[in-house]
Amino acid sequence: MFGVGFLQRLGRAMMLPMTVLPAASVFLLLSRLPWESFGWPQAPQLLYAAGMAMFQYIPYVFAVGIALGLSNQSVHAGMAALAGMIIFSAVTSSFDPGGVQPSMFAAVVIGILSGWASERFKSFQLPESLQFFGGPRFVPIFMSGFSFLFAWLMIGVGQGLLAWISASGGIVESAGGFGVFLYGFLHRILVAFGLHHLLNHLFWFQVGEYRTPDGGVFFGDLPRFFAGDPSAGIYMAGLYPIIMFALPAIAYAIIHEAREDLKPKTAKQFRVAALTAFLTGVTEPVEFAFLFVAPYLYLVHSLISGAVMWVTYELGIRSGFTFSAGALEYIINLRISERGWLIVPLGLTVGLLYYVLFRWSIRKFQLSTPGREDSTRLDDWAGDIPYRAPLVLQALGGKENMVHLEACITRLRLTLVDDRRVDVKALRHLGAAGVIRLGGGHVQVVFGTYSDLIRGEIAKLMQLDVHQVQFHAPVQGRMIPLEDVDDPIFAQKLVGRGVAFIPDRGELVAPVRGKIIHLYPSLHAIGIETPEGLEVLLHIGIDTSHLKGKGFTALVQEGDEVTPGQPLIRFHLPTLKAEAKSLATPMIITNPDIVRSWRFAPFKTVKKGQAAVMSVVVRERENKGGES
């Protein structure tokens, strides 16, 4: 239960309640405006109360958020967690109002158990007369009993546990700048695995305790900062120079080192990524652009991040945020920060250092960052997600390979039956910045801020009883629209519908599983029939039948069964360049009337046998599924 897969799900679940905290920050900002001059003198007090209430009740928010995140958004799990926190608070405060508080520790325990109970008891059966309380309705009942016992246990051990938490926080704080450096280094390392939220949760919501004059109790760097603790903000302030300045500098270094022909496309993508990091603090689209091509550079980046946090600590800068260290939060929280203005000159210095370091590294070590070769060209996903999502699903091994599907801000978080079925090249072809295998079927695919939209489209597809037929690239080269073929028969789709390729190597492979139904005597074309009834024609070059087999070698014969990627025909590319009208090689379905829908990957360079260049749904197959 508590393996890497569970930890990444827990990390994502903890992000859900974090999304409500920016509202608290806005309320606190508004409370500082001169409302008396607007004729509403009560406004500051009301706005401040609204903002601080969010932090006071943050354990409740986290308990519900974790339960929802671990139970696939089950309302019964969320209600059970809320009921559990209410019971826990009532029991402990009744015993000793100044004793055990509804802390983040209690919230995490109750949230995790609520999510587990939702999965465990969703099919729970009671005697028929009591079955109304069975199934998911049993979850709040179970958690009510558990929360009562948990509160009773915490009353007994609570003081000792609180003392231990306080002592551990003191130990961490006693490490001074080195402790802050270590946090900054580990934070960036764990970003690569999507587990940084677990580290953040410890430092932001548990380490350290602050009691306000009116008796309020706040744990962790984040709530303590907004509650007015002058010692808080050391684990957040140092992230501002990295996120607001260093990451945009990396993005511009990548843009300026891109090839001239690819620079406009790269610039469009990475200017957006830089602005996203600067304003909102979302960094993965930039970091994953170099993580996989230069992991040692990412290690250097992590070390520098820790060092910058140490410098921030030594300069006495104390600042915070409710979501991430972007410019919006920096501006909102500047007035309550300590020496927060120093973040700008420090950040500019750090940004310059990163820009020079990354431009030098990319050029010196010839790193394949986006824009330096065709295989890393980036595409604009806007408006294209519904069309690519089926291809993404196929590249992940299809819905039968999917056990669990989630997404956080920048990545799909998956549990698969067999992660060896993941086609990494196809996913990169479809826009993924990287693929992380965590073992045990747990995989993360980084699609940037479009990840949750992709998850939604994939979830819709998985609910449909349709069969996607996936086509692999039959050659290595460049994929083009069929309309661009220099032949009216193919360009006007008179033979069928599909795509075409400009090969740069002389080998044709099978794009789908099926049977060879026709091999032309001149060997320039071959036909395959798939188990779904699709008739696929592969035509090597335009006006190549007159070559009468010159330069062609067949590797299969009629009646053979073939699988995707299996060699079919070898051809002499120089001969075709010299004697054919065009190298364009159409891959078309000659009976398109049985196709229900079509999906095409981006028209760009492909590898031989690369999956998910085209996907179709066969009409007859789908109708049969609907009748059953």
Side-chain angles (χ1 to χ4, degrees):
M1 174 181 176
F2 299 105
V4 174
F6 172 78
L7 292 178
Q8 70 166 340
R9 289 180 60 199
L10 179 60
R12 178 194 177 275
M14 287 179 174
M15 280 301 297
L16 178 61
M18 287 288 291
T19 59
V20 307
L21 295 182
S25 184
V26 171
F27 278 129
L28 294 177
L29 171 68
L30 294 176
S31 71
R32 303 183 198 110
L33 297 180
W35 291 100
E36 294 84 356
S37 60
F38 302 141
W40 192 11
Q42 302 89 353
Q45 180 182 354
L46 299 178
L47 290 167
Y48 180 80
M52 291 309 299
M54 199 79 75
F55 294 109
Q56 287 178 323
Y57 288 96
I58 197 170
Y60 296 82
V61 175
F62 265 80
V64 174
I66 290 171
L68 291 172
L70 293 179
S71 63
N72 198 24
Q73 311 301 314
S74 168
V75 293
H76 297 91
M79 288 297 294
L82 179 59
M85 287 299 298
I86 292 173
I87 292 171
F88 179 89
S89 177
V91 172
T92 53
S93 63
S94 295
F95 180 82
D96 181 3
V100 177
Q101 303 292 322
S103 65
M104 291 301 296
F105 173 76
V108 172
V109 171
I110 290 174
I112 290 175
L113 262 294
S114 297
W116 171 83
S118 176
E119 295 297 309
R120 173 65 178 81
F121 297 118
K122 61 185 178 183
S123 302
F124 183 62
Q125 293 186 355
L126 292 171
E128 186 174 352
S129 58
L130 299 174
Q131 184 53 36
F132 176 81
F133 300 105
R137 296 187 185 93
F138 183 73
V139 178
I141 299 174
F142 170 82
M143 286 305 301
S144 298
F146 169 83
S147 298
F148 178 83
L149 295 175
F150 181 50
W152 196 352
L153 174 66
M154 289 298 293
I155 289 171
V157 303
Q159 292 302 325
L161 185 61
L162 288 175
W164 177 81
I165 292 175
S166 178
S168 63
I171 292 173
V172 172
E173 291 181 355
S174 67
F178 179 75
V180 177
F181 162 80
L182 193 60
Y183 164 77
F185 171 73
L186 292 175
H187 178 273
R188 294 258 68 84
I189 291 294
L190 291 176
V191 164
F193 301 96
L195 300 176
H196 55 298
H197 306 308
L198 302 177
L199 181 72
N200 292 343
H201 183 270
L202 174 64
F203 283 88
W204 292 356
F205 298 104
Q206 295 194 46
V207 170
E209 177 185 346
Y210 177 66
R211 292 181 180 267
T212 59
D214 60 1
V217 181
F218 298 87
F219 296 95
D221 205 44
L222 192 154
R224 289 192 294 116
F225 173 78
F226 286 99
D229 185 351
S231 66
I234 62 175
Y235 297 109
M236 295 181 288
L239 293 174
Y240 277 112
I242 296 298
I243 292 176
M244 286 175 54
F245 297 94
L247 272 300
I250 294 173
Y252 276 92
I254 290 173
I255 292 171
H256 294 155
E257 287 300 319
R259 278 173 25 191
E260 288 302 320
D261 57 324
L262 301 180
K263 189 169 288 187
K265 192 80 170 181
T266 307
K268 179 181 179 182
Q269 184 76 14
F270 276 87
R271 281 172 185 159
V272 172
L275 186 62
T276 300
F278 178 76
L279 290 178
T280 68
V282 176
T283 64
E284 282 93 332
V286 176
E287 289 179 306
F288 278 83
F290 68 91
L291 169 62
F292 295 99
V293 298
Y296 58 87
L297 192 58
Y298 191 87
L299 178 62
V300 173
H301 164 54
S302 301
L303 289 168
I304 296 177
S305 297
V308 169
M309 290 202 68
W310 194 341
V311 171
T312 306
Y313 171 82
E314 296 295 344
L315 289 174
I317 302 172
R318 305 289 184 268
S319 189
F321 45 79
T322 54
F323 177 71
S324 190
L328 297 178
E329 293 246 28
Y330 172 74
I331 294 170
I332 290 174
N333 299 313
L334 181 60
R335 290 186 60 183
I336 60 173
S337 66
E338 183 177 344
R339 309 191 77 187
W341 62 271
L342 282 174
I343 288 175
V344 173
L346 176 61
L348 290 172
T349 304
V350 171
L352 179 61
L353 169 66
Y354 265 79
Y355 179 79
V356 173
L357 173 65
F358 272 76
R359 283 206 69 175
W360 176 82
S361 299
I362 292 170
R363 188 175 302 178
K364 173 70 174 178
F365 301 107
Q366 292 297 303
L367 302 180
S368 299
T369 49
R372 290 180 61 82
E373 60 182 33
D374 288 338
S375 61
T376 57
R377 285 186 68 177
L378 298 174
D379 283 287
D380 187 1
W381 273 81
D384 205 17
I385 292 172
Y387 302 98
R388 300 198 197 186
L391 301 176
V392 172
L393 178 58
Q394 290 298 317
L396 291 170
K399 66 179 182 179
E400 66 277 1
N401 196 37
M402 197 74 62
V403 176
H404 199 83
L405 169 66
E406 291 180 331
C408 62
I409 296 173
T410 57
R411 67 189 85 188
L412 296 178
R413 296 171 180 262
L414 311 160
T415 302
L416 305 176
V417 175
D418 184 1
D419 58 13
R420 292 173 298 180
R421 295 171 61 183
V422 174
D423 191 326
V424 177
K425 289 183 179 178
L427 290 172
R428 286 184 176 276
H429 183 65
L430 290 165
V435 178
I436 306 169
R437 301 176 191 264
L438 298 174
H442 302 292
V443 176
Q444 296 177 2
V445 186
V446 182
F447 278 115
T449 51
Y450 294 113
S451 296
D452 197 50
L453 297 176
I454 299 169
R455 180 208 59 80
E457 291 296 327
I458 292 177
K460 292 177 186 177
L461 290 168
M462 291 174 63
Q463 294 174 359
L464 299 175
D465 186 20
V466 297
H467 176 67
Q468 298 278 341
V469 181
Q470 178 186 172
F471 284 74
H472 298 241
V475 296
Q476 179 162 310
R478 180 165 52 90
M479 187 168 101
I480 63 173
L482 197 60
E483 296 84 349
D484 292 352
V485 175
D486 188 17
D487 183 276
I489 300 297
F490 290 112
Q492 297 175 23
K493 304 177 184 177
L494 300 179
V495 180
R497 185 179 175 187
V499 295
F501 302 85
I502 305 296
D504 56 28
R505 291 190 181 179
E507 185 175 49
L508 182 79
V509 301
V512 288
R513 181 170 65 91
K515 180 181 179 181
I516 305 297
I517 57 173
H518 194 67
L519 180 61
Y520 286 72
S522 56
L523 305 181
H524 74 290
I526 191 170
I528 303 174
E529 183 177 23
T530 73
E532 296 81 11
L534 295 170
E535 296 175 1
V536 182
L537 173 66
L538 298 164
H539 193 284
I540 304 171
I542 302 301
D543 289 350
T544 49
S545 58
H546 73 279
L547 296 176
K548 301 185 183 302
K550 177 184 176 183
F552 294 93
T553 303
L555 305 176
V556 292
Q557 56 187 355
E558 290 184 5
D560 285 355
E561 297 285 342
V562 295
T563 57
Q566 180 177 335
L568 302 177
I569 298 174
R570 289 198 177 96
F571 52 95
H572 191 240
L573 199 60
T575 300
L576 266 64
K577 288 181 178 180
E579 302 192 34
K581 180 180 179 181
S582 167
L583 291 178
T585 299
M587 177 180 72
I588 58 177
I589 296 175
T590 58
N591 55 342
D593 54 300
I594 74 168
V595 175
R596 173 70 173 83
S597 62
W598 303 74
R599 311 282 183 178
F600 301 99
F603 294 102
K604 60 180 186 180
T605 300
V606 297
K607 300 293 185 182
K608 179 182 65 178
Q610 178 177 309
V613 297
M614 184 175 79
S615 180
V616 301
V617 175
V618 181
R619 190 183 304 275
E620 286 81 359
R621 175 83 176 239
E622 184 182 28
N623 289 340
K624 289 178 183 178
E627 294 169 2
S628 60

